[in-house]
Each structure stands twice: as C-alpha cells, then as structure tokens.
Amino acid sequence: MSIKGKAFIAGIYEHPGRHLPDRTLPQIHADVGLGALADAGLSTPDVDAYYSAGDAPGFGVLSMIDYLGLECRYLNDTETGGSSYLLHAQHAATAIAAGHIDVALITLAGKPLTGGAGPGGSGRVGAAPEAPFEGQWGMSVPGGYALAAQRHMHEFGTTSEQLAEIKVAASTHAQHNPRALLQDVVTVEEVIESPMISDPLHRLDCCVITDGGGAMVIVSEAVANSLERHSIPILGTGTYVKSSQSGRIDLTHTGAVKSGPLAFTEAGITPSDIDYVSIYDSFTITVLITLEDLGFCERGDGGRFVSDGNLQAPHGALPFNTDGGGLCNNHPANRGGMTKVIEAVRQLRGEANTPVQVGDCELALAHGTGGSLATRSASSTMIMGRSL
Amino acid sequence: MRLPARAAQSNSENAPFFEGATAGRLILPQCSICDFVIWFPREICPECGSQKVSWFEASGRGTIYSCTTTRRIPGSWGKVTPFVLAYVELEEGPRVMTNIVECDPESVSIGDSVEAVFEEALNRDGEPGPPLLRFRPTQG
C-alpha cells in the first residue's frame, strides 16, 4: 500500500515569536496547534490523532491531548530530534491511508532561549548505552558536525568558502521575511570572518536558537474535499536511521541516501523534477551533505553545486529554504523539521514571500535530520505536490 | 592544559572495558560467532546479532579519522579551549570518539598516527573512577 495521494496537508502555522518569555510550553503548543487548525478551516473537535515529540511536556502527548481538550484514537510521540515532525507526518499519512484517522494534528514548541528544555530534553539520555563512550570528550553540537565537515573536506576538497555560500543564500532569502531572526544579507567573507566555533565551522555556519514552534494538520481526501482551501497532497515519504555503523561510522553521508530514494520511488519522480527544497540546516555542512545524499548533485560535488547560485530563489536551479531556514529565520526548540514542511507548503500554495516565490512551483521536497551527524541520526524525506 | 575528566559510569555489560582501562589496558569486545570487533562496548554483536562476546587486548594504536579543534563551547570545556575532539580509527577497525592530548591543537591532522593514553578521571562524588581513553601523537 502506498500513501501517495491518500493524505493531504490542510493547515500549517509557524509561531510568529522568536523570544517568548511570557508563554508557557503548553501555551506555545496550543498557539501553533490552534493556528494550524484555523489555517485549515478546522477546530479541535475535528482532530482524531495527535503527534508530538520530546518537546511535549509532562507525560508527552498524553498530557498535551488532555491540555488541548482533544478526543484522540491515534497518538504517537516518535522522538528523533529535529526530524521528528517529518516522521509524524509520514505516520499520520500511513494511518490515514489505512483508514484509521481523518484529521491529524502535529505540534512543535520550545523555549531554548527563555527556560525550556534543551534539545532532546529527555532524562533518558544518561542511560543510553553509548553514553559512557561519547559523553566525556567535550563534543558540543557544532563540534560533532565539525567532525563531519572536516572529513568531507579531507575526502572531497570542500572549502569553507563553499559552506559559506549556503549561509549567503539563506540570508538573501531571509531579507524578505519580516519575521526572520536575522534579516541582514551576509557575504562569504563575513561568514569566514565570524568567530570560529569548532574548526571548520564559524558562528555563521550555525543555525539560530529561537523560542517558538509550528504545527501542521494532515487530513484524509474526504476531509480535504470538504474544506474551502486547497490542500497539498503528500506524494512520497521515506525515513532511515543511520546508526554509528557498528563503530565504523562514515561521516560523509547521512541517512538521506536511503530516505530520499524511498520518497522519490513512492512519488514516482526523480530529483530533477523538484521545483523547491526545504533542506535541514542545523549547520551549513548539513545542507551540503544532504543535497549530495538526496541526489541533487554527485557525491563529493556539493561544494561546487552550492557555489553556482543553484540555491538562490527564485531563479536558481534548486531554490532552498526561502524563509531563511534555520540558518537565519527560525529554529524553534532546536528542531527544524516542522518549519521545513511549512515553507514547502507555502511554496506550493504560492504563499511564500513574493521575491522568493518560485514560479510555477508544482513539486517540493522537505527533509529533516535529527540526532547528530557525528553519531546517529534519523533522516526523513517528504515529497509534496501542488496537486495530485 | 588538562582536559576535564569526568569518569564514565560503567555497568555490568561494559565492565571489562573499564576494568581494562583501570589497569591501563585497552580491552575490546569481539563477537565469538563472526569475529567482529565491536564498538561501542556492549554484549551484543551489531553485525550478526549474537550475544556471545569475548574480550581481548587491543594494540592501542590508530590513526585520526576526523578531528576538530574546538574554540568556543559553554561550561567547563570553555576553560580549556582550544582542544581537539576526534575520531580515532583503531588498528583493529573501530572508530572511537575521543580527545587528542599531549599535542599542539593547531597541528593535529586527519591521518596522523596516535596511541592510547589512559587519563585519571573522577566520578560525580569526586572519587577516582575508570580512567578515560584518550590518544596522543605516536611517540618517536
């Protein structure tokens, strides 16, 4: 059974806030959940399935279902860090295709700036079997991704200037987003001259840290047909966990080498058919490796690919992250998967910021990467269309 | 500068590794069925699924698979920058996350030969715990 054309994204909402000292975590979940339902033309009594991840406080989705006053017969709290919400969308689409549910609500919320849980936010971390072998070495989040960047540079000759081009493209897009945390266009030189965090990643190679959140509503065809606004069909999904590979980790690729082909096969299209991509951008290196893994360029050729203006909207060959992405706009709760889907839906609706709206955008891809490229990570790819 | 050294919390499954470290020896698990050298230490072979695991002494020699010199980081590690975070590929195969010590952080490179050193570490109560497996450039 394929989910192609069975499930539709009916509503999206990105919290307008980036610094929310006066909102509780449940309030932010409610803000975005109600926002996405209103965007779809639905309300809480319509919801029969709820999804969130480690960012749902208390007893997770059970606490949030109670707080929001939902009546659910399907729930899921799959936790893979920033990619969680793409996995939730995949699981919701599967449940819809199986006829179990009609309206799924997925929410993300967090307050890393003003007192919420950090990334992961789970007391389970200390009991992880790998913890005694990874927790002693001063590996910051940027430090882990720096290990991947160093190895990619070593094997393929990728340069800091090429990584900087990714940030430049994101900042060029963010100037048109009045809600973006960083709205100034930066140059390659400014990225290279920003403080070094962990070689070769500079401060401007890193995503922003923001409070906030986002949500989406996924519905069955019957519900989609009953709504006033046009819903966006999900055409293909794929997920793959790249483990630490039995202690033989290859740092130069991610699980996108498998999640991508799964999604493309289900959608029945190829990378060259895609008009717009939302690529997980925790760091510039995350984007570069993911573009290779998804087949938008050859392995090892990502540096050249991102330097040729391909990522720039609206006229590049593969416009990416037109909201400014996690590098400039928003990375709520240290988790970028939700906003990746949201901007892809905006592009397909023709509702992106005008200067970066891709003309005749018919097929879009959103990709999430959760965990760490340095150890274990979960990649999830979703392909959506303007219509079936 | 000496790096922070918080002892790892060992358990019954990985105890042979940490008992080895306490004796200054690098003891690794190996699958008794398929001979795969397992990392991180555990009593299951991630290659074949067997729980029959034996332990042997490894050479302690390896090469740097990747490394990064960290210059800005919060907390206690921020007081010892720059320091080197690395993956070392052991002669026996596993790629092990670690620090490179007794080195100039500006001159450590992928491909460099390194050797194991065990550094004293304290647990949360300030008591000595199993030493940490770090690496230094191969001497002489």
Side-chain angles (χ1 to χ4, degrees):
Chain A
M1 183 181 73
S2 167
I3 57 95
K4 183 177 181 179
K6 304 277 179 55
F8 299 75
I9 302 175
I12 52 170
Y13 187 81
E14 179 182 7
H15 204 292
R18 302 290 181 267
H19 181 251
L20 300 168
D22 300 325
R23 303 296 285 169
T24 66
L25 198 53
Q27 277 181 311
I28 301 171
H29 277 286
D31 291 343
V32 297
L34 298 176
L37 286 166
D39 183 56
L42 294 165
S43 55
T44 50
D46 299 311
V47 175
D48 57 13
Y50 176 70
Y51 301 71
S52 189
D55 54 305
F59 213 130
V61 292
L62 194 49
S63 292
M64 293 312 302
I65 286 169
D66 185 24
Y67 174 85
L68 294 166
L70 303 177
E71 301 262 354
C72 290
R73 51 197 164 100
Y74 216 98
L75 54 145
N76 183 308
D77 64 352
T78 298
E79 167 65 303
T80 62
S83 58
S84 301
Y85 315 91
L86 282 121
L87 277 85
H88 297 159
Q90 178 186 35
H91 299 166
T94 306
I96 288 169
H100 293 309
I101 59 173
D102 285 302
V103 177
L105 174 64
I106 309 170
T107 67
L108 156 74
K111 290 163 63 77
L113 286 180
T114 58
S122 166
R124 296 175 295 188
V125 171
E130 68 272 16
F133 308 97
E134 295 176 3
Q136 282 72 36
W137 319 122
M139 185 184 76
S140 62
V141 179
Y145 282 70
L147 288 173
Q150 292 284 65
R151 187 69 200 182
H152 199 278
M153 290 176 157
H154 177 77
E155 289 195 25
F156 302 114
T158 306
T159 67
S160 289
E161 287 77 8
Q162 291 170 335
L163 291 176
E165 292 278 7
I166 295 165
K167 171 73 173 188
V168 170
S171 74
T172 305
H173 301 158
Q175 69 178 315
H176 305 295
N177 181 355
R179 285 177 176 153
L181 187 75
L182 305 177
Q183 297 177 24
D184 292 338
V185 177
V186 300
T187 64
V188 168
E189 291 69 30
E190 285 171 314
V191 177
I192 305 278
E193 287 166 12
S194 67
M196 187 65 88
I197 305 297
S198 198
D199 301 355
L201 298 180
H202 307 80
R203 178 175 287 158
L204 294 186
D205 285 299
C206 306
C207 67
V208 299
I209 294 174
T210 48
D211 291 349
M216 61 180 131
V217 177
I218 301 184
V219 303
S220 63
E221 186 170 22
V223 173
N225 289 338
S226 74
L227 298 173
E228 272 186 36
R229 92 173 301 169
H230 172 70
S231 294
I232 297 299
I234 296 172
L235 303 180
T237 61
T239 293
Y240 185 73
V241 173
K242 181 186 169 227
S243 71
S244 59
Q245 299 177 288
S246 306
R248 273 57 165 185
I249 193 165
D250 178 343
L251 292 172
T252 63
H253 74 269
T254 73
V257 294
K258 297 203 175 169
S259 70
L262 287 168
F264 281 115
T265 299
E266 188 168 46
I269 64 169
T270 66
S272 63
D273 295 320
I274 295 290
D275 300 308
Y276 166 81
V277 290
S278 286
I279 301 290
Y280 204 87
D281 57 348
S282 45
F283 300 91
T284 51
I285 186 65
T286 321
V287 175
L288 189 141
I289 292 179
T290 304
L291 289 169
E292 294 180 3
D293 291 346
L294 291 174
F296 291 110
C297 61
E298 295 292 319
R299 179 168 154 80
D301 207 28
R304 185 202 55 73
F305 182 80
V306 301
S307 302
D308 288 351
N310 287 319
L311 301 181
Q312 298 258 359
H315 301 302
L318 190 69
F320 101 122
N321 297 10
T322 41
D323 59 339
L327 288 169
C328 295
N329 169 33
N330 194 9
H331 196 65
N334 301 316
R335 292 156 174 263
M338 180 68 78
T339 46
K340 295 294 162 292
V341 177
I342 288 173
E343 183 66 5
V345 170
R346 290 193 191 112
Q347 281 285 350
L348 291 167
R349 286 175 170 179
E351 293 177 357
N353 293 307
T354 307
V356 292
Q357 174 65 50
V358 174
D360 207 22
C361 188
E362 291 187 3
L363 289 167
L365 178 149
H367 182 85
T369 311
S372 173
L373 294 199
T375 54
R376 55 200 61 75
S377 56
S379 295
S380 194
T381 309
M382 183 159 69
I383 295 169
M384 296 148 275
R386 188 162 63 192
S387 54
L388 275 177
Chain B
M1 192 180 300
R2 193 168 157 73
L3 302 183
R6 166 66 60 84
Q9 216 171 345
S10 65
N11 58 37
S12 59
E13 187 176 356
N14 56 35
F17 174 85
F18 288 108
E19 287 164 6
T22 302
R25 302 165 68 200
L26 176 54
I27 304 297
L28 297 179
Q30 183 170 23
C31 178
S32 301
I33 304 300
C34 76
D35 292 336
F36 187 77
V37 178
I38 298 165
W39 187 263
F40 52 90
R42 63 193 111 166
E43 287 190 340
I44 182 169
C45 174
E47 285 299 285
C48 78
S50 162
Q51 287 183 301
K52 293 191 190 329
V53 170
S54 59
W55 300 78
F56 74 103
E57 182 166 7
S59 71
R61 291 188 293 270
T63 56
I64 296 177
Y65 169 71
S66 191
C67 58
T68 178
T69 300
T70 294
R71 300 171 192 282
R72 288 168 183 257
I73 183 172
S76 58
W77 286 87
K79 300 186 179 78
V80 298
T81 54
F83 68 89
V84 181
L85 170 72
Y87 264 112
V88 166
E89 183 173 313
L90 302 177
E91 276 187 347
E92 294 80 8
R95 291 174 180 164
V96 174
M97 189 183 289
T98 187
N99 299 117
I100 309 300
V101 295
E102 301 178 39
C103 67
D104 172 5
E106 307 303 336
S107 63
V108 172
S109 300
I110 291 173
D112 288 357
S113 295
V114 292
E115 61 190 21
V117 291
F118 288 94
E119 291 196 344
E120 288 179 11
L122 301 178
N123 63 26
R124 288 176 196 280
D125 300 326
E127 304 291 327
L132 297 181
L133 172 62
R134 287 175 167 147
F135 290 80
R136 67 184 177 197
T138 302
Q139 309 282 297

